[in-house]
Coordinates of all heavy atoms in Angstrom, one line a residue:
M1 N -3.3 -17.0 16.1 CA -3.0 -15.7 15.8 C -4.3 -14.9 15.8 O -5.3 -15.3 15.2 CB -2.3 -15.6 14.4 CG -2.1 -14.3 13.8 SD -1.4 -14.2 12.2 CE -0.1 -15.5 12.3
E2 N -4.3 -13.7 16.4 CA -5.5 -12.9 16.4 C -5.6 -12.1 15.1 O -4.6 -11.6 14.6 CB -5.4 -11.9 17.7 CG -6.6 -11.0 17.7 CD -6.5 -10.0 18.9 OE1 -5.6 -10.2 19.7 OE2 -7.3 -9.1 18.9
R3 N -6.8 -12.1 14.6 CA -7.0 -11.4 13.3 C -7.9 -10.1 13.6 O -8.8 -10.2 14.4 CB -7.7 -12.3 12.2 CG -6.9 -13.5 11.9 CD -7.6 -14.2 10.8 NE -7.1 -15.5 10.8 CZ -7.8 -16.7 10.7 NH1 -9.1 -16.5 10.7 NH2 -7.4 -17.8 10.7
M4 N -7.6 -9.0 12.8 CA -8.4 -7.9 13.0 C -9.2 -7.7 11.7 O -8.6 -7.9 10.6 CB -7.4 -6.6 13.2 CG -6.6 -6.7 14.4 SD -7.5 -6.9 16.0 CE -8.3 -5.3 16.1
P5 N -10.4 -7.2 11.8 CA -11.2 -7.0 10.6 C -10.6 -6.0 9.6 O -9.9 -5.1 10.0 CB -12.6 -6.4 11.1 CG -12.6 -6.6 12.6 CD -11.1 -6.8 13.0
V6 N -10.8 -6.2 8.3 CA -10.3 -5.2 7.3 C -11.5 -5.0 6.4 O -12.4 -5.7 6.2 CB -9.2 -5.8 6.5 CG1 -7.9 -6.1 7.3 CG2 -9.5 -7.1 5.8
K7 N -11.4 -3.8 5.8 CA -12.4 -3.4 4.8 C -11.9 -3.9 3.4 O -10.9 -3.4 2.9 CB -12.6 -1.9 4.8 CG -13.3 -1.4 6.0 CD -13.6 0.1 5.9 CE -14.2 0.6 7.2 NZ -14.5 2.0 7.1
S8 N -12.7 -4.9 2.8 CA -12.3 -5.4 1.6 C -13.4 -6.1 0.9 O -14.2 -6.6 1.6 CB -11.1 -6.3 1.8 OG -10.8 -7.1 0.6
S9 N -13.4 -6.2 -0.4 CA -14.4 -7.0 -1.1 C -14.1 -8.5 -1.1 O -14.9 -9.3 -1.3 CB -14.6 -6.5 -2.5 OG -13.4 -6.6 -3.2
V10 N -12.8 -8.8 -0.7 CA -12.4 -10.2 -0.9 C -11.9 -10.8 0.5 O -11.9 -12.0 0.7 CB -11.3 -10.5 -1.8 CG1 -11.9 -10.3 -3.3 CG2 -10.1 -9.7 -1.6
L11 N -11.5 -9.9 1.5 CA -11.0 -10.3 2.7 C -11.8 -9.9 3.9 O -12.6 -8.9 3.8 CB -9.6 -9.6 3.0 CG -8.5 -10.0 2.0 CD1 -7.3 -9.1 2.2 CD2 -8.1 -11.4 2.0
I12 N -11.8 -10.7 5.0 CA -12.5 -10.4 6.2 C -11.6 -9.8 7.2 O -11.9 -8.8 7.9 CB -13.2 -11.7 6.7 CG1 -14.3 -12.2 5.8 CG2 -13.8 -11.4 8.1 CD1 -14.9 -13.5 6.3
A13 N -10.4 -10.5 7.4 CA -9.5 -10.1 8.5 C -8.1 -10.4 8.1 O -7.7 -11.2 7.2 CB -9.9 -10.9 9.7
K14 N -7.2 -9.8 8.9 CA -5.7 -9.9 8.7 C -5.1 -10.1 10.1 O -5.5 -9.4 11.1 CB -5.2 -8.7 8.1 CG -3.7 -8.6 7.9 CD -3.1 -7.4 8.8 CE -1.6 -7.4 8.5 NZ -1.0 -6.5 9.6
G15 N -4.1 -10.9 10.2 CA -3.4 -11.1 11.4 C -1.9 -11.0 11.1 O -1.5 -11.4 10.1
Y16 N -1.1 -10.7 12.1 CA 0.4 -10.7 11.9 C 1.1 -11.2 13.2 O 0.7 -10.8 14.3 CB 0.9 -9.3 11.6 CG 2.4 -9.3 11.3 CD1 3.0 -9.9 10.2 CD2 3.3 -8.6 12.2 CE1 4.3 -9.9 10.0 CE2 4.6 -8.6 12.0 CZ 5.1 -9.3 10.9 OH 6.5 -9.3 10.7
N17 N 2.0 -12.0 13.0 CA 2.9 -12.6 14.1 C 4.3 -12.2 13.9 O 5.0 -12.7 12.9 CB 2.7 -14.1 14.3 CG 3.5 -14.6 15.4 OD1 4.5 -14.1 15.8 ND2 3.0 -15.7 16.0
A18 N 4.8 -11.2 14.7 CA 6.1 -10.7 14.5 C 7.2 -11.8 14.7 O 8.3 -11.7 14.2 CB 6.4 -9.5 15.3
L19 N 6.9 -12.7 15.7 CA 7.9 -13.7 16.0 C 8.1 -14.7 14.9 O 9.2 -15.1 14.6 CB 7.5 -14.5 17.3 CG 7.3 -13.6 18.6 CD1 6.8 -14.4 19.7 CD2 8.7 -13.1 18.9
T20 N 7.1 -15.1 14.3 CA 7.2 -16.1 13.2 C 7.2 -15.3 11.8 O 7.5 -15.9 10.7 CB 6.0 -17.0 13.2 OG1 4.7 -16.2 12.9 CG2 5.9 -17.8 14.3
R21 N 7.0 -14.0 11.8 CA 7.0 -13.2 10.6 C 5.9 -13.7 9.5 O 6.2 -13.7 8.3 CB 8.4 -13.1 10.0 CG 9.4 -12.4 10.9 CD 10.8 -12.5 10.4 NE 10.9 -11.8 9.1 CZ 11.4 -10.5 8.9 NH1 11.8 -9.8 10.0 NH2 11.6 -10.1 7.7
E22 N 4.8 -14.1 10.1 CA 3.7 -14.6 9.2 C 2.6 -13.6 9.2 O 2.1 -13.1 10.2 CB 3.2 -15.9 9.7 CG 4.2 -17.0 9.5 CD 3.7 -18.4 10.0 OE1 2.8 -18.4 10.9 OE2 4.2 -19.4 9.5
L23 N 2.1 -13.3 8.0 CA 0.9 -12.4 7.8 C -0.3 -13.3 7.4 O -0.1 -13.9 6.3 CB 1.2 -11.3 6.8 CG 0.1 -10.3 6.7 CD1 0.7 -8.9 6.5 CD2 -0.8 -10.6 5.4
E24 N -1.3 -13.4 8.1 CA -2.4 -14.3 7.8 C -3.6 -13.6 7.4 O -4.0 -12.6 8.0 CB -2.7 -15.1 9.2 CG -3.7 -16.2 9.0 CD -3.9 -17.0 10.2 OE1 -4.6 -16.5 11.1 OE2 -3.2 -18.1 10.3
L25 N -4.2 -14.1 6.3 CA -5.5 -13.4 5.8 C -6.6 -14.4 5.7 O -6.4 -15.6 5.4 CB -5.1 -13.0 4.3 CG -3.9 -12.0 4.2 CD1 -3.7 -11.7 2.7 CD2 -4.4 -10.7 4.9
E26 N -7.8 -13.9 6.2 CA -9.0 -14.7 6.0 C -9.8 -14.1 5.0 O -10.2 -12.9 5.0 CB -9.8 -14.6 7.4 CG -11.0 -15.5 7.4 CD -11.7 -15.4 8.7 OE1 -11.2 -14.8 9.7 OE2 -12.8 -16.0 8.8
F27 N -10.3 -15.0 4.0 CA -11.1 -14.5 2.9 C -12.5 -14.7 3.1 O -12.9 -15.4 4.0 CB -10.7 -15.4 1.6 CG -9.3 -15.1 1.3 CD1 -8.2 -15.7 1.8 CD2 -9.0 -14.2 0.1 CE1 -6.9 -15.5 1.4 CE2 -7.7 -14.0 -0.3 CZ -6.6 -14.6 0.3
K28 N -13.3 -13.9 2.4 CA -14.8 -13.9 2.6 C -15.3 -15.3 2.3 O -16.4 -15.7 2.9 CB -15.4 -12.9 1.8 CG -15.3 -11.5 2.3 CD -16.2 -10.6 1.7 CE -15.9 -9.1 2.5 NZ -16.7 -8.1 2.0
N29 N -14.8 -16.1 1.6 CA -15.2 -17.5 1.2 C -14.8 -18.5 2.3 O -15.1 -19.7 2.2 CB -14.8 -18.0 -0.1 CG -13.3 -18.2 -0.2 OD1 -12.6 -18.0 0.7 ND2 -12.9 -18.7 -1.3
G30 N -14.2 -18.0 3.4 CA -13.8 -18.9 4.5 C -12.3 -19.4 4.3 O -11.8 -20.0 5.4
D31 N -11.7 -19.3 3.2 CA -10.3 -19.7 3.1 C -9.4 -18.8 4.0 O -9.7 -17.7 4.3 CB -9.8 -19.6 1.7 CG -10.4 -20.6 0.8 OD1 -11.0 -21.6 1.3 OD2 -10.3 -20.5 -0.5
V32 N -8.2 -19.4 4.4 CA -7.3 -18.7 5.1 C -5.9 -18.9 4.4 O -5.7 -20.0 4.0 CB -7.1 -19.3 6.6 CG1 -6.0 -18.5 7.3 CG2 -8.4 -19.0 7.4
G33 N -5.1 -17.9 4.3 CA -3.8 -18.0 3.7 C -2.8 -17.2 4.5 O -3.1 -16.3 5.3
T34 N -1.4 -17.7 4.3 CA -0.4 -17.0 5.0 C 0.7 -16.7 4.1 O 1.1 -17.4 3.3 CB 0.1 -18.1 6.1 OG1 -1.0 -18.5 6.9 CG2 1.2 -17.3 7.0
F35 N 1.1 -15.4 4.3 CA 2.4 -14.9 3.7 C 3.5 -15.2 4.6 O 3.4 -14.8 5.8 CB 2.3 -13.4 3.3 CG 1.5 -13.1 2.1 CD1 0.3 -12.5 2.2 CD2 2.0 -13.4 0.8 CE1 -0.5 -12.3 1.1 CE2 1.2 -13.1 -0.3 CZ 0.0 -12.5 -0.2
K36 N 4.6 -15.7 4.2 CA 5.8 -16.1 5.0 C 6.8 -15.0 4.9 O 7.0 -14.3 3.9 CB 6.3 -17.5 4.6 CG 5.4 -18.6 4.6 CD 5.0 -18.9 6.0 CE 4.1 -20.2 6.0 NZ 3.8 -20.7 7.3
E37 N 7.7 -14.9 5.9 CA 8.8 -14.0 6.0 C 8.5 -12.5 5.7 O 9.1 -11.8 5.0 CB 9.9 -14.5 5.1 CG 10.4 -15.8 5.4 CD 11.1 -15.9 6.8 OE1 11.8 -14.9 7.3 OE2 10.8 -16.9 7.5
V38 N 7.4 -12.0 6.4 CA 6.9 -10.6 6.1 C 7.5 -9.8 7.4 O 7.4 -10.1 8.4 CB 5.4 -10.6 6.2 CG1 4.9 -9.1 6.1 CG2 4.7 -11.4 5.1
S39 N 8.3 -8.7 7.0 CA 8.8 -7.9 8.0 C 7.7 -7.1 8.6 O 6.6 -6.8 8.1 CB 9.8 -6.9 7.3 OG 9.1 -6.0 6.5
P40 N 8.0 -6.7 9.9 CA 7.0 -5.8 10.5 C 6.6 -4.5 9.8 O 5.5 -4.2 9.8 CB 7.8 -5.5 11.9 CG 8.7 -6.6 12.2 CD 9.1 -7.0 10.7
G41 N 7.6 -3.9 9.1 CA 7.4 -2.8 8.3 C 6.4 -3.1 7.1 O 5.6 -2.2 6.8
D42 N 6.6 -4.2 6.5 CA 5.7 -4.6 5.4 C 4.3 -4.9 5.9 O 3.3 -4.6 5.3 CB 6.2 -5.7 4.6 CG 7.3 -5.3 3.7 OD1 7.5 -4.1 3.5 OD2 8.0 -6.1 3.1
S43 N 4.2 -5.4 7.1 CA 2.9 -5.6 7.7 C 2.1 -4.3 8.0 O 1.0 -4.2 7.7 CB 2.9 -6.4 9.0 OG 1.7 -6.6 9.7
I44 N 2.9 -3.3 8.5 CA 2.4 -2.0 8.8 C 1.9 -1.4 7.4 O 0.9 -0.8 7.3 CB 3.3 -1.1 9.5 CG1 3.5 -1.6 11.0 CG2 2.9 0.3 9.5 CD1 4.7 -1.0 11.6
W45 N 2.7 -1.5 6.4 CA 2.4 -1.0 5.0 C 1.1 -1.6 4.6 O 0.3 -0.9 4.1 CB 3.6 -1.4 4.0 CG 3.2 -0.9 2.7 CD1 3.5 0.3 2.1 CD2 2.5 -1.6 1.6 NE1 3.1 0.4 0.8 CE2 2.5 -0.8 0.5 CE3 2.0 -2.9 1.5 CZ2 1.9 -1.2 -0.7 CZ3 1.4 -3.3 0.4 CH2 1.4 -2.5 -0.7
F46 N 0.9 -2.9 4.8 CA -0.3 -3.5 4.5 C -1.5 -2.9 5.1 O -2.5 -2.5 4.4 CB -0.3 -5.0 4.7 CG -1.4 -5.9 4.2 CD1 -1.3 -6.7 3.1 CD2 -2.7 -5.9 4.9 CE1 -2.3 -7.4 2.6 CE2 -3.7 -6.6 4.4 CZ -3.5 -7.4 3.2
D47 N -1.3 -2.6 6.4 CA -2.4 -2.0 7.1 C -2.8 -0.6 6.6 O -3.9 -0.1 6.8 CB -2.0 -1.9 8.7 CG -1.9 -3.2 9.3 OD1 -2.5 -4.3 8.8 OD2 -1.3 -3.4 10.3
E48 N -1.8 0.1 6.1 CA -2.0 1.5 5.8 C -2.6 1.6 4.4 O -2.9 2.8 4.0 CB -0.6 2.2 5.8 CG -0.1 2.4 7.3 CD 1.3 2.9 7.3 OE1 2.0 3.0 6.3 OE2 1.7 3.4 8.4
Q49 N -2.7 0.5 3.7 CA -3.2 0.7 2.2 C -4.7 0.9 2.3 O -5.4 0.4 3.1 CB -2.9 -0.6 1.5 CG -1.3 -0.8 1.3 CD -0.7 0.5 0.9 OE1 -0.9 0.9 -0.2 NE2 0.2 1.0 1.8
E50 N -5.2 1.6 1.2 CA -6.6 1.9 1.1 C -7.4 0.8 0.8 O -8.6 0.5 1.2 CB -6.8 3.0 0.1 CG -8.2 3.6 0.0 CD -8.3 4.8 -1.0 OE1 -7.4 5.6 -0.9 OE2 -9.1 4.8 -1.8
S51 N -6.9 -0.2 0.1 CA -7.5 -1.4 -0.3 C -6.6 -2.7 0.1 O -5.5 -2.9 -0.3 CB -7.6 -1.5 -1.8 OG -8.0 -2.8 -2.2
A52 N -7.2 -3.5 1.1 CA -6.5 -4.7 1.5 C -6.4 -5.7 0.3 O -5.4 -6.4 0.2 CB -7.3 -5.4 2.6
G53 N -7.4 -5.7 -0.6 CA -7.2 -6.6 -1.7 C -6.0 -6.2 -2.7 O -5.3 -7.1 -3.1
K54 N -5.9 -4.9 -2.9 CA -4.7 -4.5 -3.7 C -3.4 -4.7 -3.0 O -2.4 -5.1 -3.6 CB -4.9 -3.0 -4.1 CG -6.0 -2.8 -5.1 CD -6.1 -1.3 -5.4 CE -7.2 -1.1 -6.4 NZ -7.4 0.3 -6.8
A55 N -3.4 -4.6 -1.7 CA -2.3 -4.9 -0.9 C -1.8 -6.4 -1.0 O -0.7 -6.8 -1.1 CB -2.4 -4.5 0.6
L56 N -2.9 -7.3 -0.9 CA -2.7 -8.7 -1.1 C -2.0 -8.9 -2.4 O -1.0 -9.7 -2.4 CB -4.1 -9.4 -1.2 CG -4.2 -10.7 -1.7 CD1 -3.4 -11.7 -0.9 CD2 -5.7 -11.1 -1.9
W57 N -2.4 -8.3 -3.5 CA -1.8 -8.6 -4.8 C -0.5 -8.0 -5.0 O 0.4 -8.5 -5.6 CB -2.8 -8.2 -6.0 CG -4.0 -9.1 -6.1 CD1 -5.3 -8.9 -5.6 CD2 -4.0 -10.5 -6.3 NE1 -6.0 -9.9 -5.8 CE2 -5.2 -11.1 -6.2 CE3 -2.9 -11.4 -6.8 CZ2 -5.6 -12.3 -6.5 CZ3 -3.3 -12.7 -7.0 CH2 -4.5 -13.2 -6.8
A58 N -0.2 -6.9 -4.2 CA 1.1 -6.3 -4.2 C 2.1 -7.2 -3.5 O 3.2 -7.4 -4.0 CB 1.1 -4.9 -3.5
F59 N 1.7 -7.9 -2.5 CA 2.5 -8.9 -1.8 C 2.8 -10.1 -2.8 O 3.9 -10.6 -2.8 CB 1.9 -9.4 -0.6 CG 2.1 -8.5 0.7 CD1 2.1 -7.2 0.6 CD2 2.4 -9.2 1.9 CE1 2.5 -6.4 1.8 CE2 2.8 -8.4 3.0 CZ 2.8 -7.1 3.0
R60 N 1.8 -10.5 -3.4 CA 2.0 -11.6 -4.4 C 3.0 -11.3 -5.5 O 3.9 -12.1 -5.8 CB 0.7 -12.1 -5.0 CG -0.5 -12.6 -4.1 CD -0.3 -13.9 -3.6 NE -0.2 -14.9 -4.5 CZ -1.1 -15.9 -4.7 NH1 -2.3 -15.8 -4.2 NH2 -0.9 -16.9 -5.6
R61 N 2.8 -10.1 -6.1 CA 3.8 -9.7 -7.1 C 5.1 -9.4 -6.5 O 6.2 -9.6 -7.3 CB 3.2 -8.4 -7.8 CG 2.0 -8.6 -8.7 CD 1.7 -7.4 -9.4 NE 1.4 -6.2 -8.7 CZ 0.1 -5.9 -8.1 NH1 -0.9 -6.7 -8.4 NH2 0.0 -4.9 -7.4
A62 N 5.3 -9.1 -5.3 CA 6.6 -8.8 -4.7 C 7.4 -10.2 -4.4 O 8.6 -10.1 -4.1 CB 6.4 -8.1 -3.3
G63 N 6.7 -11.3 -4.5 CA 7.3 -12.5 -4.5 C 7.3 -13.2 -3.0 O 7.9 -14.2 -2.8
Y64 N 6.4 -12.6 -2.2 CA 6.2 -13.4 -0.9 C 5.6 -14.7 -1.1 O 4.7 -14.9 -1.9 CB 5.3 -12.5 0.1 CG 6.0 -11.4 0.8 CD1 5.7 -10.0 0.5 CD2 6.9 -11.7 1.9 CE1 6.4 -9.1 1.2 CE2 7.5 -10.7 2.5 CZ 7.2 -9.4 2.2 OH 7.9 -8.4 2.8
T65 N 6.1 -15.7 -0.4 CA 5.6 -17.1 -0.4 C 4.2 -17.0 0.3 O 4.0 -16.4 1.3 CB 6.5 -18.0 0.4 OG1 7.8 -18.0 -0.2 CG2 5.9 -19.4 0.4
F66 N 3.2 -17.6 -0.4 CA 1.8 -17.6 0.1 C 1.4 -19.1 0.1 O 1.5 -19.9 -0.7 CB 0.9 -16.9 -0.9 CG -0.5 -16.8 -0.4 CD1 -0.9 -15.9 0.5 CD2 -1.5 -17.6 -1.0 CE1 -2.2 -15.9 1.0 CE2 -2.8 -17.5 -0.5 CZ -3.2 -16.6 0.5
E67 N 0.9 -19.5 1.4 CA 0.5 -20.8 1.6 C -1.1 -20.8 2.0 O -1.5 -20.0 2.8 CB 1.3 -21.5 2.7 CG 2.6 -21.7 2.3 CD 3.4 -22.4 3.5 OE1 2.7 -22.7 4.5 OE2 4.6 -22.7 3.3
K68 N -1.8 -21.5 1.3 CA -3.3 -21.7 1.5 C -3.4 -22.6 2.7 O -2.8 -23.7 2.7 CB -4.0 -22.1 0.3 CG -5.4 -21.8 0.3 CD -6.0 -22.2 -1.1 CE -7.5 -21.8 -1.1 NZ -8.1 -22.3 -2.3
G69 N -4.3 -22.2 3.6 CA -4.4 -23.1 4.8 C -5.8 -23.7 4.9 O -6.6 -23.6 3.9
E70 N -6.1 -24.1 6.0 CA -7.4 -24.7 6.3 C -8.6 -23.6 6.5 O -8.2 -22.6 7.0 CB -7.4 -25.6 7.6 CG -6.3 -26.7 7.5 CD -6.8 -27.9 7.0 OE1 -8.0 -28.3 7.1 OE2 -6.0 -28.7 6.4
K71 N -9.7 -24.1 6.3 CA -10.9 -23.1 6.5 C -11.2 -23.1 8.0 O -10.9 -24.0 8.7 CB -12.1 -23.5 5.7 CG -12.1 -23.2 4.3 CD -13.3 -23.5 3.6 CE -13.2 -23.1 2.2 NZ -14.5 -23.3 1.5

């Protein structure tokens, strides 16, 4: 999945695959994590937020499943 850079104090990049509905985040410490079952509209909402870190926590609070992946 291709990731695009984001402005954030905790994230480096974000990618989205509309076919699998996965939103992938790369953290500054090298970790990668994936939110599952993210709609295209919610991915766009994430992109439009002023803070990618705050958007990340909004997704967590909304109940999206988050899986930590390999570095």
Side-chain angles (χ1 to χ4, degrees):
M1 170 183 320
E2 184 179 348
R3 298 183 203 132
M4 302 301 292
V6 295
K7 291 184 181 181
S8 172
S9 61
V10 294
L11 299 172
I12 294 173
K14 176 247 183 192
Y16 181 69
N17 183 327
L19 295 176
T20 61
R21 296 175 60 101
E22 294 179 331
L23 185 140
E24 188 174 82
L25 300 172
E26 182 178 355
F27 293 82
K28 287 195 174 181
N29 69 0
D31 288 344
V32 175
T34 305
F35 283 107
K36 304 289 187 176
E37 298 301 319
V38 176
S39 71
D42 283 348
S43 176
I44 292 168
W45 177 89
F46 189 101
D47 294 339
E48 293 173 342
Q49 299 311 295
E50 193 171 309
S51 167
K54 288 181 182 178
L56 159 71
W57 290 110
F59 270 45
R60 299 280 307 248
R61 284 189 302 273
Y64 277 110
T65 301
F66 184 77
E67 294 180 1
K68 200 170 181 184
E70 305 269 333
K71 285 189 179 186

